[in-house]
Amino acid sequence: MSMKTLPLVFINLGGEMLYILDQRLQAQNTSEDNTEKVLNDIARTLFSKVFMDELLKPQQLYSHRTLKTVLTRLAHASIMRLNPASMDRLYELMIMTFKYQVLLCPRPKDLLLISYNHIDTVRELVKDTPVIVNQVAETHRKIIEVYSSLSEGEFQLLRQTLLIFFQDMHVRVSLFLKNEIQKPNGRFSLSTSGPVPHGIDVPGLIRTFDRKGREVGRGEFPTGGSYSSSIREGSFELHGDRVIRLGLNVYVPNGTMDDSEYLTHIWTDEDTPNLLAKEELNLLAWLMGSVQVENMPRAETGFWINLFSTDQEEEEKEGESAEFGVINIQAIQDQQATNELAQIVGQFAEQEKQPEDPSGNKGDDLLAMMDDL
């Protein structure tokens, strides 16, 4: 596992977060002042010196649960608040987009170009705030300093670490499905055509050499695809043409994706979620004491926003999946059963204490630091 993966994860996911929020806030007619303040506050926190210095320390990649907690705190670093459903979909969309970018990355080293595209675009989003622009530029310099000296093998290990992190994420996105770059099971379909990575020969040619290293014959073999010569290498400097488009903001008018469809329909399950089953699980979680409710003071100057039309999605999915058999779980609370379960849980709590999970503290220092920003 690479110990230098975390900074690139936050930069790329943070960049995707800003892209999505910028598009959705504009689509919901949020005032320009509020939109600008939300983006500036999140970018200021993401690219703050203390936050980046902590991320740049060699450390293992966080779990999805810990990473989502930190990103939720990052999204709420502004006056905006997201409901849990919107945050879930925001996280899934960020993850699946970055996963697709990593899969399409021509060379492991080109992960830097994807990250630099995110940094360049975020710098453009906050261009009217010089302080944040300087923060972004300073972070960019640190990234260049840390990663420019890595070998090809270290970049390959970094990419492999990311792929392992993404391997169990198969959230279906309607636009990916429509363009046939994602299968119904949520896995991506990679093309076997197009330009080869920079510095790589077009496959299909076999050359034969003698003992003295002289070429004595040539042959060909079917490649199973249509490959072309590589394009020029992108710039790894502070400013320059990155050449590859992975990591750019696809939600702008001249982007390559239909933003409304891309952001509205995000499916996480093979079939329609059973709302009664969800209530049953919520009841069980409450009995086990694992549900915590956070109340936001109403006097706080901010606004709540639903990024995605959750209710509409549920209705559409319910209608589309009517052909499938559905097993309903009775979720009506029985008071006597509830009391008995509560007593059992209380006995467990008195008889034994759960050992502390050392991995559970991962990210706590980062969260505490974000509170101070």
Side-chain angles (χ1 to χ4, degrees):
M1 292 290 182
S2 174
M3 304 293 286
K4 296 184 178 181
T5 311
L6 197 60
L8 297 187
V9 169
F10 270 95
I11 287 176
N12 288 280
L13 294 183
E16 291 296 328
M17 175 189 292
L18 290 172
Y19 298 169
I20 297 169
L21 292 178
D22 179 44
Q23 194 280 336
R24 296 311 296 166
L25 290 174
Q26 293 185 31
Q28 298 191 17
N29 297 322
T30 305
S31 67
E32 293 184 4
D33 291 341
N34 281 343
T35 299
E36 181 179 358
K37 181 171 178 55
V38 168
L39 299 181
N40 286 346
D41 288 345
I42 294 177
R44 181 184 293 109
T45 303
L46 176 62
F47 292 98
S48 65
K49 183 179 184 302
V50 290
F51 187 68
M52 274 298 158
D53 287 345
E54 182 67 24
L55 291 179
L56 287 170
K57 295 178 181 178
Q59 54 190 305
Q60 293 184 354
L61 186 59
Y62 293 168
S63 66
H64 279 286
R65 181 177 182 179
T66 303
L67 183 61
K68 182 180 177 182
T69 300
V70 178
L71 288 173
T72 301
R73 189 71 60 85
L74 177 63
H76 292 167
S78 65
I79 60 175
M80 177 196 66
R81 293 295 181 270
L82 301 177
N83 61 36
S86 291
M87 190 62 221
D88 288 344
R89 284 160 172 76
L90 176 61
Y91 180 77
E92 291 163 355
L93 184 54
M94 291 187 297
I95 287 291
M96 292 305 293
T97 304
F98 187 34
K99 176 181 180 179
Y100 184 60
Q101 294 167 357
V102 173
L103 288 173
L104 288 187
C105 186
R107 303 174 301 172
K109 184 179 180 180
D110 291 336
L111 286 171
L112 289 182
L113 295 179
I114 297 176
S115 303
Y116 295 169
N117 274 337
H118 281 106
I119 293 176
D120 292 342
T121 309
V122 170
R123 185 189 293 115
E124 183 66 21
L125 286 176
V126 299
K127 62 182 180 180
D128 295 330
T129 310
V131 175
I132 304 179
V133 172
N134 292 335
Q135 286 182 330
V136 175
E138 182 61 27
T139 297
H140 198 166
R141 295 188 186 94
K142 291 181 180 179
I143 295 297
I144 294 176
E145 179 181 352
V146 171
Y147 289 93
S148 60
S149 60
L150 296 188
S151 65
E152 293 293 337
E154 289 175 307
F155 277 116
Q156 176 60 30
L157 180 61
L158 195 153
R159 182 175 183 270
Q160 191 66 29
T161 302
L162 288 174
L163 292 177
I164 293 174
F165 177 71
F166 292 138
Q167 66 180 353
D168 294 327
M169 295 293 293
H170 305 297
V171 180
R172 296 184 296 170
V173 180
S174 61
L175 184 67
F176 290 159
L177 295 170
K178 179 181 178 181
N179 292 335
E180 298 183 350
I181 59 179
Q182 192 179 28
K183 300 178 181 179
N185 61 4
R187 300 181 184 275
F188 289 110
S189 300
L190 301 182
S191 174
T192 56
S193 303
V196 298
H198 179 78
I200 303 299
D201 295 330
V202 177
L205 177 65
I206 301 176
R207 296 187 294 173
T208 307
F209 298 85
D210 59 16
R211 294 181 178 180
K212 296 183 178 180
R214 295 176 298 188
E215 183 177 336
V216 296
R218 291 194 174 194
E220 296 182 353
F221 66 92
T223 61
S226 178
Y227 297 98
S228 59
S229 300
S230 63
I231 56 180
R232 69 183 189 280
E233 186 176 28
S235 173
F236 289 87
E237 302 300 326
L238 190 63
H239 300 281
D241 185 4
R242 314 302 178 190
V243 179
I244 66 175
R245 296 184 56 82
L246 299 174
L248 294 178
N249 188 353
V250 297
Y251 310 115
V252 293
N254 60 347
T256 58
M257 295 187 180
D258 183 348
D259 53 6
S260 60
E261 181 178 12
Y262 187 69
L263 287 170
T264 302
H265 299 89
I266 305 173
W267 299 344
T268 57
D269 298 316
E270 292 294 326
D271 299 325
T272 303
N274 191 325
L275 299 182
L276 291 178
K278 182 178 179 181
E279 291 301 323
E280 185 81 358
L281 293 175
N282 287 340
L283 173 60
L284 179 60
W286 175 77
L287 290 173
M288 298 302 293
S290 61
V291 175
Q292 296 180 354
V293 180
E294 296 181 358
N295 294 321
M296 176 187 174
R298 293 298 178 183
E300 183 176 350
T301 57
F303 62 96
W304 287 80
I305 187 169
N306 295 332
L307 289 183
F308 310 98
S309 52
T310 307
D311 296 337
Q312 180 180 356
E313 290 176 22
E314 296 293 348
E315 293 175 0
E316 291 177 356
K317 288 188 62 182
E318 184 176 356
E320 293 176 359
S321 62
E323 57 185 290
F324 298 101
V326 177
I327 299 177
N328 292 327
I329 299 177
Q330 183 66 26
I332 301 177
Q333 298 185 21
D334 183 87
Q335 187 62 39
Q336 181 178 0
T338 300
N339 294 335
E340 292 178 355
L341 285 174
Q343 291 177 2
I344 294 174
V345 173
Q347 293 175 0
F348 283 143
E350 294 176 359
Q351 292 176 359
E352 60 179 30
K353 294 183 179 180
Q354 294 292 339
E356 294 185 0
D357 182 6
S359 63
N361 294 328
K362 183 182 291 186
D364 287 352
D365 294 339
L366 203 58
L367 291 173
M369 183 180 299
M370 295 177 68
D371 289 335
D372 296 333
L373 294 178

